[in-house]
Amino acid sequence: MKAEPLYQRALAIYEKVLGSEHPDVAISLNNLANFYYKKDHPKAESLYLRAIAIRERALGLDHPDLAQSLNNLASLYQAKGNYLKAEPLYQRALAIRQKVLGSEHPAVASSLSNLAGFYETKGDITRAIVFQTRANDVIERNIALNIATGSERQKLAYLATLSGPTWWTVSLHAQSAPNDLAALRLALTTILRRKGRALDATADSIGALSRRFNEQDRALLVQLTDTRSRLAALVLGGPGKTNLAEHGTEIKRLEEQVEKLESDISLRSAEFRAQSRPVSLEALQAAIPQGAALVEFFSYYPLKDFKFAGSDDWGEPRYVAYVLGGEGEPKWVDLGEAKMIDNAVSALRNALRNPRRDDVKALARALDEKVMQPVRKLLGQTQKVFLSPDGSPNLIPFAALVDEQNRYLIEQYSFNYLTSGRDLLRLQEKSQSKQIATVIANPDFGGDTSPCSEGRMPVSRGAIDFSQILFCPLAGTAGEAQAIKAMMPEAKVLMKEQATEAAIKKVSGPKILHVATHGFFLEDVVINPSTEARGLGIKSNQSDAAMKVENPLLRSGLAIAGANLHKSGNDDGVLTALEAAGLDLWGTKLVVFSACDTGVGEVRNGDGVYGLRRALVLAGSESQVMSLWPVSDVATRDLMIDYYKAIQAGQGRSEALRQVQLKMLASEKRQHPYYWASFIHSGEWAGMDGKR
């Protein structure tokens, strides 16, 4: 009620001061029309038409602002069901944007997506998929351009804008075309390309590469970065006053230059090749071993109503799962509302962390019914499964779920975790280890740790404030380190005051990196969107227009020696996942994080443990073994000793862990999954010699 007179007053002022034909009057008309959009169609239509007329006369027939007005009027006609009037307006808006801004501009992607929504509303699913595929291709190219330059905050702000188009694409399949194979393939491809992309973009992989390159290769990398930046500025900025043909020619020249530089660097660096592999379903299928399947989970917000173009009216979040085998077409299943699954995850996680709970099997069965039982129908006889969880399921071991026969899934399935299905492409590139093994254990966290023995452990919530966290000693990890040293005499062991952040940062491609310390995760930080965002405007489904764009790699990590002293600088005793992503682990076959407590804080968006796991992948490690909750020192030590014996005997890295866990399950004293299920294996599953 208060908004309408203010819009009207603003319009009156513009008309009085600038005249009724000024372009700024069209802006005010457009704003008032947007207010009437869902309230009074005739008023909105009249205002849009007047804005279009002003812009045609004042700006010409090929101006981007005119395309915006045309798009708005088309959206209004679409909402009214007047498809004959809507379609040519959408098409005209698209033509203007392509002509003036170039075919790769984000505004063109927006027009293409609007047309996809139009055809979905009209019931023409085939054309909807065609246009959304074109839109996603433009967006994918723009992702590379937007993250080629700019600050970390700008990158995160831009990537935050991709949630809507991604959810829209999944909604198009799951809600509107559940039986359409093209829609399924488009949704899965989009998920595989974008899931966890913010972590990849902010990990500064180019910077980490540069530090490991020789002078000649580093010069090529600098040249590539510079050329990408110039290409980004050219595409995202549009032609401006430049002739459109000349603009297109210059874009093509820079694209060819980028392609050549990427090719030259790829020939020199397997690590760069691993980071640069294009993601497609065909490439992934070629990477999936025979008899195995990838299960890609995804949490998304379904679009409530497709008829309102550009709508951000999202429903309650849901989970879907896509299954991709080494051959044949992908399959999928809608798992239902996220709230039900998240609650079941929380209940099971609490039971898993307490060995005295006798309801763990019942809770594991309840979650299995919601998450894995529907997926098993798609897996058929497949027993080797690559799991890429999303959201809260990142924090539970699927091996501890219970099937219809009251069996733990570990008894039938071999699970191997991935932070994204596209990691299968990274694993095709190999590198030689530079050292044997490095073991970090029992760090001296420093400070007053008396509250630990008194059961008082302050924990930070809602902000990145390590001064409010107390890390308690882990004396039992010393015996674990000594046992590993006995099995691998050549291993370098660093404990107490030697187990520093600086020491970890100095490691260079050890075959094995074993770290026995605390892990941490701090809950999401909500900040307001910044005007620094480039390319696309920020939209949020939150009423306060706040967005979570804080780097998740800053909210998870490891506590090292001196963590309780709260020092400043590069050796502050806290190794964040962002810093871990910059480690030199290219050539590292196995990273083991033992006895780490990843339960500090509250998981909201699945980037907690996921952030730390992803960081190790980006740092170059082939595989990771991590704990999802702190377990007893004795159980952990025994599990680790047996695990290292198994991999030294030639067993595969994931199967070795499974066999050790099955052995513990069979024992009388350690049948509760608290003891055996905490550790999961992620990444390369082959033996340490690389044989699968």
Side-chain angles (χ1 to χ4, degrees), residues 274-392:
Q275 294 179 5
S276 306
R277 283 180 175 270
V279 178
S280 69
L281 297 188
E282 291 75 19
L284 274 170
Q285 284 190 301
I288 297 173
Q290 186 175 4
L294 166 68
V295 180
E296 190 80 39
F297 292 93
F298 189 66
S299 175
Y300 79 106
Y301 288 80
L303 189 61
K304 281 185 177 180
D305 195 343
F306 282 85
K307 74 178 181 179
F308 293 106
S311 171
D312 58 358
D313 189 12
W314 307 102
E316 293 300 315
R318 303 179 70 83
Y319 281 104
V320 288
Y322 291 87
V323 177
L324 182 68
E327 55 185 21
E329 294 295 347
K331 304 172 185 177
W332 82 289
V333 61
D334 181 0
L335 299 177
E337 289 191 7
K339 184 177 180 180
M340 301 290 290
I341 292 174
D342 292 341
N343 289 341
V345 167
S346 179
L348 175 58
R349 183 165 165 77
N350 289 334
L352 288 169
R353 294 166 66 92
N354 186 350
R356 292 183 294 275
R357 291 279 295 266
D358 58 6
D359 58 346
V360 65
K361 264 202 161 182
L363 293 171
R365 177 72 197 107
L367 180 58
D368 178 83
E369 287 180 337
K370 295 176 174 62
V371 175
M372 276 304 291
Q373 185 172 320
V375 171
R376 279 197 295 277
K377 297 176 182 178
L378 306 181
L379 288 173
Q381 300 302 310
T382 301
Q383 294 181 315
K384 184 169 185 58
V385 179
F386 294 96
L387 284 175
S388 174
D390 193 26
S392 65

Side-chain angles (χ1 to χ4, degrees), residues 24-39:
D24 287 354
V25 171
I27 295 175
S28 194
L29 288 166
N30 192 73
N31 291 338
L32 184 56
N34 288 342
F35 171 78
Y36 289 128
Y37 185 86
K38 291 184 180 181
K39 303 175 184 295

Side-chain angles (χ1 to χ4, degrees), residues 78-79 81 83 114-125 128 168 172 176 305-309:
Q78 177 183 332
Y83 301 141
N114 286 337
L115 272 162
F118 167 77
Y119 288 120
E120 190 282 338
T121 304
K122 193 179 176 183
D124 189 345
I125 297 299
W168 197 100
L172 177 61
S176 300
D305 195 343
F306 282 85
K307 74 178 181 179
F308 293 106

Side-chain angles (χ1 to χ4, degrees), residues 45-279:
E45 180 182 9
S46 175
L47 292 165
Y48 282 140
L49 286 168
R50 187 179 164 199
I52 289 171
I54 291 173
R55 283 174 166 168
E56 284 180 332
R57 288 190 293 269
L59 303 175
L61 301 180
D62 291 327
H63 197 280
D65 288 353
L66 175 60
Q68 181 192 43
S69 289
L70 293 168
N71 184 81
N72 289 343
L73 182 58
S75 173
L76 181 70
Y77 288 144
Q78 177 183 332
K80 292 171 62 177
N82 193 336
Y83 301 141
L84 287 176
K85 285 188 176 181
E87 185 172 9
L89 292 172
Y90 277 134
Q91 295 282 7
R92 185 182 168 194
L94 172 62
I96 291 172
R97 286 171 168 172
Q98 287 178 322
K99 179 180 180 180
V100 178
L101 301 174
S103 60
E104 299 299 309
H105 195 275
V108 172
S110 179
S111 272
L112 290 168
S113 190
N114 286 337
L115 272 162
F118 167 77
Y119 288 120
E120 190 282 338
T121 304
K122 193 179 176 183
D124 189 345
I125 297 299
T126 299
R127 295 188 76 181
I129 294 168
V130 168
F131 276 92
Q132 192 57 41
T133 299
R134 288 175 59 190
N136 285 357
D137 286 343
V138 174
I139 291 172
E140 187 64 22
R141 288 189 285 272
N142 280 324
I143 292 174
L145 295 175
N146 270 281
I147 63 178
T149 184
S151 68
E152 175 189 289
R153 185 183 180 89
Q154 287 173 323
K155 293 176 184 178
L156 284 165
Y158 167 71
L159 289 167
T161 68
L162 299 182
S163 295
T166 304
W167 297 337
W168 197 100
T169 301
V170 177
S171 290
L172 177 61
H173 167 232
Q175 306 295 316
S176 300
N179 300 316
D180 191 290
L181 181 59
L184 188 162
R185 292 177 65 89
L186 176 61
L188 178 54
T189 300
T190 303
I191 292 169
L192 289 167
R193 287 175 173 175
R194 297 182 189 170
K195 189 176 177 182
R197 194 69 172 268
L199 303 183
D200 294 18
T202 55
D204 190 23
S205 56
I206 291 294
L209 266 177
S210 180
R211 290 189 290 273
R212 297 194 280 273
F213 274 9
N214 60 37
E215 187 174 345
Q216 185 179 7
D217 293 345
R218 194 177 296 119
L220 278 177
L221 204 57
V222 169
Q223 190 178 350
L224 173 61
T225 302
D226 178 65
T227 307
R228 282 175 171 173
S229 296
R230 286 187 287 134
L231 178 60
L234 204 62
V235 171
L236 301 176
K241 296 181 180 179
T242 307
N243 177 275
L244 190 62
E246 294 176 358
H247 180 70
T249 300
E250 181 63 10
I251 286 177
K252 185 176 181 181
R253 186 186 72 81
L254 289 176
E255 286 177 338
E256 290 174 349
Q257 191 173 341
V258 166
E259 187 176 345
K260 183 179 186 306
L261 287 167
E262 288 176 341
S263 177
D264 291 345
I265 297 172
S266 292
L267 291 173
R268 299 165 179 259
S269 169
E271 186 174 357
F272 183 82
R273 287 198 303 274
Q275 294 179 5
S276 306
R277 283 180 175 270
V279 178

